Amino acid sequence: MFCSKKKSLEVERIVKANDREYNEKFQYADNRIHTSKYNILTFLPINLFEQFQRVANAYFLFLLILQLIPEISSLTWFTTIVPLVLVITMTAVKDATDDYFRHKSDNQVNNRLSEVLIDSKLQNEKWMNVKVGDVIKLENNQFVAADLLLLSSSEPHGLCYIETAELDGETNLKVRHALSVTSELGADFSRLAKFDGPDTKLMQNSGKTKFKRTSIDKLLNTLVLWIFGFLVCLGIILAIGNSIWENQVGDQFRTFLFWNEREKNSVFSGFLTFWSYIIILNTVVPISLYVSMEVIRLGHSYFINWDRKMYYSGKSTPAEARTTTLNEELGQIEYVFSDKTGTLTQNIMTFKKCSINGKIYGEVPEGMGQKTDIPKKNEPMDFSVNLQADRTFQFFDHRLMESVKLGDSKVYEFLRLLALCHTVMSEENSAGQLIYQVQSPDEGALVTAARNFGFIFKSRTPDTITVEELGTLVTYQLLAFLDFNNIRKRMSVIVRNPEGQIKLYSKGADTILFEKLHPSNEDLLTLTTDHLSEFAGEGLRTLAIAYRDLDDKYFKEWHKMLEDANTLKDERDERIAGLYEEIERDLMLLGATAVEDKLQEGVTETIASLSLANIKIWVLTGDKQETAINIGYACNMLTDDMNDVFIVAGNTAVEVREELRKAKENLFGQNRSSSNGHVVFEKQQLELDSVVEETITGDYALIINGHSLAHALESDVKNDLLELACMCKTVVCCRVTPLQKAQVVELVRNYRNAVTLAIGDGANDVSMIKSAHIGVGISGQEGLQAVLASDYSFAQFRYLQRLLLVHGRWSYFRMCKFLGYFFYKNFAFTLVHFWFGFFCGFSAQTVYDQWFITLFNIVYTSLPVLAMGIFDQDVSDQNSMDYPQLYKPGQLNLLFNKRQFFICMAHGIYTSLALFFIPYGAFYNVAGEDGQHIADYQSFAVTMATSLVIVVSVQIALDTSYWTVINHVFIWGSIATYFSILFTMHSNGIFGIFPNQFPFVGNVRHSLTQKCIWLVILLTTVASVVPVVIVRFLKMDLCPTLSDQIRQRQKAQKKARPLRSRRPQTRRSSSRRSGYAFAHQEGYGELITSGKNMRAKNPPLTSGLEKTLYNSTSWIENFCKKTTDTVSCFSQDKTVKL
Amino acid sequence: MAMNYNAKDEVDGGPQCPPGGPAKNRRPDNTAFKQQRLPAWQPILTAGTVLPTFFIIGLIFIPIGIGIFVTSNNIREIEIDYTGTDPSSPCNKCLSPNATPCYCTINFTLEQSFEGNVFMYYGLSNFYQNHRRYVKSRDDSQLNGDSSALLNPSKECEPYRRNEDKPIAPCGAIANSMFNDTLELFLVGNESYPTPIPLKKKGIAWWTDKNVKFRNPSGGESLKERFKGTTKPVNWVKPVYMLDSEPDNNGFINEDFIVWMRTAALPTFRKLYRLIERKSDLHPTLPAGRYYLNITYNYPVHSFDGRKRMILSTISWMGGKNPFLGIAYIAIGSISFLLGVVLLVINHKYRNSSNTADITI
């Protein structure tokens, strides 16, 4: 058997089934899956190589090499190597752990068992040992870990149903046909392995995910560059200083200070000094910055994983931060792009209400005060009397059942219509329960409703429909099926009941159907319209229901015409449509149904809260416009209070452009639109936008469909679209392809410079999840693709609120504080060397002990700032949720930006000045209490180092707004550690062992026992901190931010916090709006009338192995059971050309 | 697209069979740490805490500053520049390099008597003892008496590491440039002949330096033998084992040497030279009167515009004369007090009553 496939590189692949020796000739890849990067031997070299590819690490390596040059070396080698080794070890450990888990999951997949035909026997074989060309037997519900070719299956026609959830996230079953030649061969799922291991489609498509960076990261890169520039400037200043000094002073000082042969030239000396200072001052960007950021983000990620309030017990799914590098970006989101189905909605339709003959049924018990007369209003109806009822169906209005019992004919007709006019297929499962296979969930809801009220749709054949009407089986003859399509927006069936009456039952959009009504319906029409508006106002999906009695003769004529039309070659569709129009008139209105596309829990509140946080939510859905709009209303994104809702639905570029122009005119008024040509430069455009944005009052919404979007995304209209869309409070894009979703995200991302978040659950959201700054996947569903592509995942849309407003906000807040402090600390620490340079002949002499420089960033000051970066909270999580406005500073980038950086820098410079010049003044002529000199270099160094540690500790104490035990331990612990290490390193013992490394022996004992040293330290600390306290206090006192106010209030009301319900439920005014929405697709009517999708009662036996399982009820069940134990009758000598 | 419409499945979440085996309870632990609910102290800068702090700082700092200032002013200190750059100076003759040894005498008068222990310092200006190349040019192992380092000093000492193929002890630029002027002090009393003031040369170095950091090499009977195989620093007149006659103040543990080796932080510095101990409670250590200073002028500073000074000073509870610290304390204390007042006024006048009012959003 040969199997060939066109591939770009590999033109064809020749495989002989079940012939391993033959196939081995081609050296196809084996089926082992490798996602791991290292093994034990290669780990060290590969990992180190990778790590030194990072700029920061390479830079520090470069510094290390510089330090080895004795003329330049201003620091001992260990000051750089200790942090570098620490950082590299930490990263290596992290990489190793990651890789260990990859190994584990690889092994899990590789070791799954499959049944392979080897030596004419089925043998269990691990998937990793499956070879190209093997014949594999698969049973129901087995995992498939290779690309396979279906040879035959136990289903008729060689069909098999596969789930591709792990590939594309779609949970529905897809049909695959076996090749007709091979399908006859066996009754089992026998498949041929085609591509293995790394060649599988999944592995080939899995591609590297784009590396995402946060805007803070980008800002940081810029800042680090600036700092390098600054560093170079300082280096140049000091190098010039050195040249001058060597020339003016050093030249004469030669008596005591030798000159190296090579350094005789003062310019060359300046050059060497430059590098020496680069080494000393490199601590402005310490290597620990990046590591600390990673640690903080990791901590935040764990907090997300640990959050019980984001744990969904329904599916026992906790939230998961799948990326640990993006957390603070969550605090800066401006645009949220959401999928609809499965994200905003549960994809469950429930029959909520109906209006039958002018009477409304099914009021929701809560919130409807006037209906108090309903007995037991809060209890759902008990359908247990009806044995066939669907247990999960809930309905709260008992009056409908009473009407059924009373025998209201209109109600009967209504329910009968629901049971007849649909495309549902019925089956019975093994327990004898009726199961409906539905094509659109709306229909499922309607048919199920009818079922529970006693009109049970039992079964159908191509020409009959059997319904159990209140216990009696009635079979209707299906005379015609007038299928649904998007233009008609309705569907009808024409049936003949056992009494011989012909009836047309129709359901469809109210707008369409109401035009077709018989004039006598006028009264009922007004009433029903009111009801429909009410339904629409509640965001329910409505359908109008009507029927028509047809007389036999008329129908026959019509049917004849229909048959004639069907045979026509041209204009067939038009003719048929005309005929449909013709018969669907003079309808008698029965009422209307209202189906709820069930929103996920808390969606409305979440959206409201996010809008208050100034986050714009765009819905991108593949659904139809009506459905999308409906959901928009259901979750309060669209309201009737909106000034205008622009709908762009043009089919050509010109139309779209015109529609956009009109919308803009409407928005800005005439004067602006004329000035706004398409050639305006983007920059100007954006400026204009910001001006205009403020002048626009009122809420607008934009609804655009996929076709229009395709045109609107073209370059010249793009800006108009963007401008318009960003002006609108709500944007809904419907019928968009996955690619378009990504394009829309890219558009906003690139042209608005805004931080975007995309949330979705399905494979069609993957592209958008990948292209947004942050991708969120709804987990706990069957499909994994969206989750796999996402950065964060959780089970319910409502957790987005907590993710952004609490975790995101905190992460951003903490990261900004961390960065601010970190830069401050290192400027204060490092710039002292700069000032000292002016007093030591620009010789690159360090101010501090070498050990202090080594340990300052990694031991003395790392933990307090980490604790702040991980644990700090300005306001509690509850307040973060209650005041979504707190989110705005993140969007505006207020907490850490270039300005803030300069403030930190200025603060650091000020502190370094205080740190240097106060001891300088004090040491100028100082003598100790015992008269001995203390103005020596070592005492100076210790004084300054101690002052620095105390000043930065006080500063972090001021910065920390949430002092947990950990903060206390770290801050006090750091100071204690500093002193204990100081004492150790200045002790006699350690000097005795390494006299050259610890020359500071005895310094603490002599210096830190002097009162005046402590007076200097106290003075330095107060002088460094006082200005900060003043500025902060004045800010807090005179113009407190919202966060400050809430903090004060939080403190005041720590004990008794009043519970406030913040969001007033906006009751929509019930202006006329059609709530019609229907997730139905064209073409199913034909399938039904032709009977193609129905299982034949007596299937032709394709092989003797077929067992008589067809009496079993469910066709889905069938294929599950029918994997027989017999081996397929493949034999090696059978050769088939494929 | 066929969909299995069975609401029951949806509610139950369908057949749950995660690949990893049976689902364990994945609900996160309800601990204060994991839920970020750790009890915490949340300080806020309020008028109630900030203003008193400023006043307290002011109230503490101003008295301290005044105390330091007064104490510092009560310290007797006299500084005599004997560099000899001024042509009228007696030491002017010593500026020419060929006049060695050169002796000069400087007269001065103490207006007030110096009570208690008096400390005699020498001060150098424009001397970069903190230059990197200078600072590192020493071998602490050698100075600690390590015998291998004695004969094979650290490379850091270059170019003062070896001389004439012998290792230099002590090696390095610091040792090489040791201050070697000799200062003697005489009181010109009413009597015709001057009284020499007894100058104590021991007890001027830190205890740890003298006993821990600096040690003579072990071995040999005499100090000279212990330093066998080494040579003196280039600039030195005598080898290291002839710095002093007393054995506990000779070699590496010579206190003048130790003091010199403790490099200064700034280019202008003082180093303790001698102690003048108080004789009795009745007589001042240095009574007011005329004195003269005998200088053996060896140390050249003129070439780099250096200055040499002799300083006599008493000390107080907080050390030597130091006007800066007192003034700085008074200044910062006053500023902080003033700021307290200013902030109080601002707080009263301009603060919007946001603390009590409802939060405006």
Side-chain angles (χ1 to χ4, degrees), chain A residues 73 246 258 306 308 438 814 839 843 873 922 927 929 931 936-937 962-963 999 1015 1030 1036-1037 1047-1048, chain B residues 3 28 35-36 38 41 43-44 121 130 132-133 141 177 205 213 262-263 315 320 322 329 339 347 351 355:
Chain A
S73 170
E246 289 288 347
F258 56 91
W306 285 335
R308 280 167 79 90
V438 303
R814 291 164 178 170
F839 301 93
S843 60
Q873 304 178 6
E929 285 158 47
D936 63 296
Y937 165 73
Y962 193 77
W963 284 71
L1015 287 174
I1030 293 169
M1036 184 93 159
D1037 207 39
R1047 277 176 69 192
Q1048 286 180 353
Chain B
M3 215 184 282
Q35 302 307 317
Q36 307 194 61
L38 284 176
W41 173 53
I44 304 175
Y121 303 92
N130 58 4
R132 178 167 59 91
R133 273 186 282 129
S141 285
S177 58
K213 201 173 177 184
R262 181 157 284 278
T263 53
I315 56 160
N322 193 352
Y329 262 88
L339 279 172
N347 186 42
R351 189 169 72 121
N355 284 7

Side-chain angles (χ1 to χ4, degrees), chain A residues 70-71 73 108 172 245-246 249 252-253 255-258 263 276 303 305-308 311 313 316 318 349 392 435-438 448 807 810 814 836 839-841 843-845 871 873 883 885 918 920-922 924-933 935-940 961-964 966 988 991 995-996 999 1001-1003 1005-1006 1011 1015-1016 1018-1019 1022-1023 1026 1030 1032-1034 1036-1038 1040 1042 1045-1051 1054 1084, chain B residues 1-8 10 13 15 19 25-30 33-47 50 54 57 61 64 68 119 121 127-128 130-136 139-141 144 158-160 173 177 203-208 212-213 235 259 262-268 270 272 299-300 303-304 315 317-322 324-325 328-329 332 339 343 346-347 350-352 354-355 358-361:
Chain A
E71 280 76 23
S73 170
Q108 197 200 329
N172 56 336
W245 187 88
E246 289 288 347
V249 184
Q252 295 152 358
F253 195 55
T255 332
F256 298 118
L257 189 63
F258 56 91
E263 285 175 56
S276 303
F303 282 133
N305 295 347
W306 285 335
D307 195 338
R308 280 167 79 90
Y311 171 80
S313 50
S316 66
M349 302 287 168
T392 54
I435 284 180
Y436 292 144
Q437 300 290 335
V438 303
T448 309
H807 289 284
W810 275 348
R814 291 164 178 170
F836 189 56
F839 301 93
C840 68
S843 60
Q845 172 62 26
F871 301 112
Q873 304 178 6
Y883 299 94
Q885 293 84 354
I918 291 176
Y920 172 80
Y924 192 72
N925 269 331
V926 81
E929 285 158 47
D930 49 1
Q932 291 172 343
H933 65 116
D936 63 296
Y937 165 73
Q938 293 190 341
S939 302
F940 190 64
S961 43
Y962 193 77
W963 284 71
T964 63
I966 301 162
N988 304 348
F991 173 78
N996 275 330
V1001 59
N1003 220 298
R1005 198 184 303 180
H1006 285 96
K1011 286 180 211 75
L1015 287 174
V1016 170
L1018 177 66
L1019 188 68
V1022 169
V1026 160
I1030 293 169
R1032 295 217 178 147
F1033 170 71
L1034 284 180
M1036 184 93 159
D1037 207 39
L1038 298 181
L1042 181 59
Q1045 294 176 15
I1046 293 170
R1047 277 176 69 192
Q1048 286 180 353
R1049 190 197 179 104
Q1050 198 170 281
K1051 192 168 178 149
K1054 208 162 191 176
Y1084 254 72
Chain B
M1 183 179 73
M3 215 184 282
N4 187 350
Y5 184 79
N6 189 341
K8 205 171 174 181
E10 297 280 346
N25 187 11
R26 301 205 287 159
R27 182 187 288 274
D29 301 335
N30 190 10
F33 175 75
K34 288 190 174 180
Q35 302 307 317
Q36 307 194 61
R37 278 189 278 105
L38 284 176
W41 173 53
Q42 291 168 272
I44 304 175
L45 295 178
T46 55
V50 172
F54 277 89
I57 290 176
F61 272 38
I64 292 179
I68 296 171
F119 297 83
Y121 303 92
F127 192 101
Y128 286 84
N130 58 4
H131 195 280
R132 178 167 59 91
R133 273 186 282 129
Y134 186 86
V135 170
K136 69 175 185 178
D139 184 348
D140 281 316
S141 285
N144 194 229
E158 290 286 6
Y160 304 108
S177 58
I204 57 170
W206 286 11
W207 184 89
T208 43
V212 180
K213 201 173 177 184
N235 285 11
V259 166
R262 181 157 284 278
T263 53
L266 300 167
T268 299
R270 292 173 176 188
L272 186 55
Y299 204 68
S303 62
F304 54 92
I315 56 160
W317 58 270
M318 45 78 57
K321 200 176 180 77
N322 193 352
F324 170 83
L325 210 52
Y329 262 88
I332 294 203
L339 279 172
L343 290 182
I346 291 177
N347 186 42
Y350 299 103
R351 189 169 72 121
N352 44 21
S354 60
N355 284 7
D358 214 31
I359 290 173
T360 47
I361 291 166

Side-chain angles (χ1 to χ4, degrees), chain A residues 650-686:
Chain A
N651 278 323
T652 63
V654 184
E655 273 175 43
V656 171
R657 190 169 300 175
E658 187 61 19
E659 277 172 321
L660 285 175
R661 197 184 54 78
K662 269 191 191 149
K664 269 170 82 175
E665 265 172 30
N666 211 327
L667 209 56
F668 307 131
Q670 302 289 334
N671 50 342
R672 224 188 91 70
S673 62
S674 54
S675 68
N676 183 33
H678 300 304
V679 277
V680 185
F681 289 113
E682 271 162 33
K683 221 175 185 178
Q684 287 177 333
Q685 189 114 351
L686 287 176

Side-chain angles (χ1 to χ4, degrees), chain A residues 357-373:
Chain A
N357 201 18
K359 204 168 162 200
I360 202 160
Y361 295 97
E363 296 293 355
V364 189
E366 54 264 332
M368 282 284 149
Q370 69 269 39
K371 306 276 179 184
T372 39
D373 48 326

Side-chain angles (χ1 to χ4, degrees), chain B residues 291-309:
Chain B
Y291 290 83
Y292 67 83
L293 181 69
N294 257 0
I295 302 145
T296 315
Y297 199 113
N298 296 320
Y299 204 68
V301 292
H302 182 61
S303 62
F304 54 92
D305 285 335
R307 288 287 184 161
K308 297 199 282 191
R309 289 159 295 144

Side-chain angles (χ1 to χ4, degrees), chain A residues 749-781:
Chain A
R749 185 186 165 138
N750 296 339
Y751 289 87
R752 296 296 292 188
N753 266 333
V755 184
T756 55
L757 179 145
I759 177 166
D761 70 318
N764 55 350
D765 306 314
V766 167
S767 57
M768 125 176 134
I769 284 175
K770 280 190 173 169
S771 50
H773 289 91
I774 301 226
V776 177
I778 300 289
S779 59
Q781 321 271 350

Side-chain angles (χ1 to χ4, degrees), chain B residues 67-275:
Chain B
I68 296 171
F69 189 71
V70 169
T71 320
S72 178
N73 275 358
N74 286 340
I75 288 171
R76 306 265 177 268
E77 190 182 278
I78 185 164
E79 195 171 291
I80 290 146
D81 191 315
Y82 68 92
T83 324
T85 38
D86 186 18
S88 62
S89 165
C91 292
N92 189 253
K93 60 180 179 183
C94 299
L95 288 183
S96 66
N98 45 4
T100 49
C102 173
Y103 302 95
C104 58
T105 303
I106 290 178
N107 294 311
F108 63 98
T109 311
L110 289 185
E111 304 291 342
Q112 286 163 311
S113 62
F114 280 39
E115 317 240 342
N117 288 342
V118 177
F119 297 83
M120 186 179 190
Y121 303 92
Y122 60 87
L124 295 174
S125 296
N126 209 15
F127 192 101
Y128 286 84
Q129 251 203 328
N130 58 4
H131 195 280
R132 178 167 59 91
R133 273 186 282 129
Y134 186 86
V135 170
K136 69 175 185 178
S137 185
R138 64 192 283 161
D139 184 348
D140 281 316
S141 285
Q142 191 193 43
L143 297 173
N144 194 229
D146 187 279
S147 48
S148 64
L150 181 72
L151 297 173
N152 185 20
S154 156
K155 285 194 182 63
E156 302 283 358
C157 287
E158 290 286 6
Y160 304 108
R161 183 162 169 251
R162 303 183 83 87
N163 190 23
E164 297 159 355
D165 272 350
K166 277 184 177 174
I168 294 175
C171 74
I174 309 177
N176 189 50
S177 58
M178 186 178 154
F179 181 76
N180 58 359
D181 282 0
T182 312
L183 306 174
E184 288 164 306
L185 196 59
F186 295 89
L187 170 65
V188 185
N190 295 330
E191 299 91 35
S192 51
Y193 59 94
T195 328
I197 306 290
L199 301 174
K200 198 170 160 254
K201 57 187 172 187
K202 284 201 277 185
I204 57 170
W206 286 11
W207 184 89
T208 43
D209 283 356
K210 172 107 181 168
N211 295 289
V212 180
K213 201 173 177 184
F214 290 83
R215 269 187 298 196
N216 281 323
S218 53
E221 276 296 298
S222 68
L223 205 54
K224 188 178 176 181
E225 276 175 55
R226 299 195 209 171
F227 282 99
K228 209 175 141 191
T230 62
T231 184
K232 68 172 179 61
V234 188
N235 285 11
W236 286 22
V237 185
K238 294 177 284 188
V240 67
Y241 47 84
M242 286 170 68
L243 283 177
D244 199 273
S245 52
E246 294 178 52
D248 64 343
N249 193 26
N250 199 2
F252 287 155
I253 55 169
N254 175 273
E255 293 197 21
D256 283 333
F257 174 65
I258 293 173
V259 166
W260 180 254
M261 290 305 283
R262 181 157 284 278
T263 53
L266 300 167
T268 299
F269 59 88
R270 292 173 176 188
K271 283 179 188 289
L272 186 55
Y273 184 65
R274 293 290 181 262
L275 298 176

